[in-house]
Amino acid sequence: MIMTKKFCIASSMDGMNELRLQMEYIASAWSLSKRQLFEIDLVLEELCMNFIEHTESVESDNIEIELALENSTVYITILDKGPEFDPTKVAAPDVCLPQHQRKAGGLGLYLVKHYIDKISYKRFHDTNILSIVKKTE
Amino acid sequence: MFISASHKNDLMIVTVEGRLDSLTSSELETWVDKNLVSPEHDVVMDFSRLDYISSAGLRVMLNISKLINKSSHKFSMCCVQDHVREVFEISGFDSFIPIHTSVGDSIE
């Protein structure tokens, strides 16, 4: 059985609040475990925040999110019309650095890559398209 | 998010409940600015009721760690739920913020 959900959020902190509400609905409707919800939630928050923080988007821009769950595998597609940005090319931070050499930032995409199984990016016309595959427990 | 503080044996226990994410991390930053700028004791964050953390939360934790370590006091966490603890471990934060199993273990 395949369960799907498609929704749009604004490219702003209001949009992040909407994402939170959508995830609460999906967790209930799909009977996600606490662990499944945590990991999907984290992946979506980090990728959407990355878009909001690193592009010159305006609030009227939307981020389109498609989720599908089939046989314990979650397929996530995130589409936005912001400037071209490929998060798969972002260098990983050094997580072995001592505290005094640590700087804020850079950990979001690192966490995403830890929790997912596959990520791919393509630019199609004026749209960034991120496709993620994540196996869950 | 709910933040509260108490003291036990010269240890300041800061309890954070709920989510520490891009929507709520500024609340903790504001609380820290008011209450932890000049810590008078060692500080432990009780995360037994912290259900979620993202990189926005890690950013605040890094700043708190630097702030407290600038004083002569120690900073640690305790009672961290497994999935939250995993985020600290993946990020390497457990190398500079000790994680204790209980508030009692945080008292040396």
Side-chain angles (χ1 to χ4, degrees):
Chain A
M1 183 176 162
I2 304 175
M3 288 180 282
T4 61
K5 176 77 177 166
K6 186 174 174 178
F7 57 94
C8 281
I9 61 167
S11 176
S12 64
M13 295 314 285
D14 282 346
M16 294 307 291
N17 202 40
E18 174 65 19
L19 174 63
R20 174 91 286 280
L21 297 174
Q22 290 284 355
M23 284 310 299
E24 281 176 12
Y25 168 80
I26 290 166
S28 173
W30 292 8
S31 300
L32 295 180
S33 69
K34 192 175 176 184
R35 163 69 71 162
Q36 285 174 318
L37 171 63
F38 172 74
E39 294 185 359
I40 298 168
D41 210 356
L42 184 68
V43 167
L44 284 174
E45 181 192 335
E46 298 296 357
L47 290 171
C48 291
M49 274 309 292
N50 196 67
F51 170 72
I52 292 169
E53 287 176 346
H54 295 103
T55 65
E56 297 160 356
S57 60
V58 291
E59 288 204 15
S60 57
D61 286 342
N62 281 331
I63 303 172
E64 194 176 316
I65 297 166
E66 295 174 17
L67 290 171
L69 175 66
E70 183 183 22
N71 297 332
S72 300
T73 299
V74 180
Y75 300 87
I76 304 170
T77 309
I78 302 174
L79 301 97
D80 70 73
K81 293 187 185 298
E84 187 165 357
F85 176 68
D86 182 354
T88 67
K89 298 264 172 67
V90 175
D94 184 351
V95 295
C96 295
L97 284 175
Q99 179 223 51
H100 67 278
Q101 289 179 18
R102 289 293 191 107
K103 287 176 185 169
L107 285 169
L109 289 173
Y110 185 78
L111 289 173
V112 168
K113 286 171 187 170
H114 174 87
Y115 281 107
I116 61 166
D117 295 280
K118 192 177 169 188
I119 184 167
S120 59
Y121 167 86
K122 67 179 173 186
R123 179 84 176 173
F124 185 71
H125 296 307
D126 60 348
T127 304
N128 293 310
I129 304 171
L130 261 185
S131 302
I132 293 126
V133 178
K134 170 167 178 48
K135 292 174 183 154
T136 67
E137 290 172 358
Chain B
M1 176 194 279
F2 181 73
I3 308 165
S4 62
S6 61
H7 288 84
K8 186 178 181 182
N9 297 353
D10 285 339
L11 181 72
M12 184 181 190
I13 304 159
V14 180
T15 303
V16 182
E17 300 178 30
R19 295 171 62 90
L20 189 46
D21 60 15
S22 53
L23 288 168
T24 61
S25 58
S26 60
E27 287 177 43
L28 182 58
E29 275 179 321
T30 304
W31 190 92
V32 167
D33 286 345
K34 282 185 187 167
N35 300 281
L36 277 183
V37 174
S38 305
E40 294 173 358
H41 304 287
D42 290 349
V43 178
V44 61
M45 305 278 272
D46 181 344
F47 281 160
S48 53
R49 293 182 186 171
L50 184 74
D51 299 318
Y52 178 94
I53 189 166
S54 66
S55 65
L58 290 176
R59 191 175 300 141
V60 182
M61 288 299 289
L62 176 63
N63 291 339
I64 298 173
S65 169
K66 286 181 175 178
L67 182 75
I68 295 175
N69 289 152
K70 258 196 283 183
S71 68
S72 58
H73 298 291
K74 291 176 185 164
F75 179 52
S76 61
M77 304 179 267
C78 73
C79 314
V80 187
Q81 296 186 46
D82 286 348
H83 60 285
V84 174
R85 183 191 184 107
E86 195 174 274
V87 172
F88 284 113
E89 289 170 350
I90 295 163
S91 314
F93 275 40
D94 57 326
S95 67
F96 55 85
I97 309 176
I99 302 176
H100 304 294
T101 53
S102 67
V103 173
D105 288 346
S106 312
I107 302 169
E108 284 188 350

